[in-house]
Amino acid sequence: MSRTNLDGKPIKLVLEWLLNRDLKDADLASALGLAGATYSRHKDDDDYPNFAELEQLGDAFGLSGRMLQIAFGWRKLDELVLLDGDGMRQWIEQGGGNHKERSGRPLSLSSGAARDGV
């Protein structure tokens, strides 16, 4: 099972939402410099997308790699303050304003989840 963002969405769905268009596996494979068959086998790995792949996907699609890394739990939520205006807009669009703690309360930078980097 691949990694998901804090809302449980896979990377393909997050990218489609942010880009407002459908993506094929071939689009993601190309962005990562992988053959289609290699990507197809890799996309369900527990560590997909990893830290470096999120940076690559961000670069390929004109999105903030740092924002994607935060959304997918590779960086701590505290790093939201390092996002520029576009990165923060992307964070909010991909669900950043709607994240909830496991208890159901809204997630805040002062929550334990933020300190632990969820």
Side-chain angles (χ1 to χ4, degrees), residues 1-4 23 38 51 97-98 101:
M1 180 70 140
S2 60
R3 286 180 82 95
T4 59
L23 293 173
T38 302
F51 188 90
N98 297 318
E101 290 186 43

Side-chain angles (χ1 to χ4, degrees), residues 50-62:
N50 66 33
F51 188 90
E53 289 168 333
L54 290 166
E55 188 70 36
Q56 282 181 274
L57 291 168
D59 288 345
F61 294 111

Side-chain angles (χ1 to χ4, degrees), residues 72-92:
F72 282 81
W74 290 106
R75 290 181 181 262
K76 294 182 184 259
L77 289 172
D78 295 352
E79 294 190 46
L80 286 171
V81 299
L82 301 174
L83 295 177
D84 62 13
D86 285 339
M88 187 54 77
R89 179 189 52 77
Q90 293 165 15
W91 166 259
I92 292 167

Side-chain angles (χ1 to χ4, degrees), residues 27 30 32 78 94 105 114:
D27 298 322
S30 177
L32 295 171
D78 295 352
Q94 66 84 36
R105 292 180 300 190

Side-chain angles (χ1 to χ4, degrees), residues 33-62:
L34 299 173
T38 302
Y39 175 78
S40 185
R41 287 188 303 273
H42 176 58
K43 70 180 181 178
D44 293 323
D45 291 347
D46 290 342
D47 68 340
Y48 173 76
N50 66 33
F51 188 90
E53 289 168 333
L54 290 166
E55 188 70 36
Q56 282 181 274
L57 291 168
D59 288 345
F61 294 111

Side-chain angles (χ1 to χ4, degrees), residues 59-75:
D59 288 345
F61 294 111
L63 301 169
S64 168
R66 181 183 303 252
M67 178 279 302
L68 291 171
Q69 291 161 345
I70 295 168
F72 282 81
W74 290 106
R75 290 181 181 262

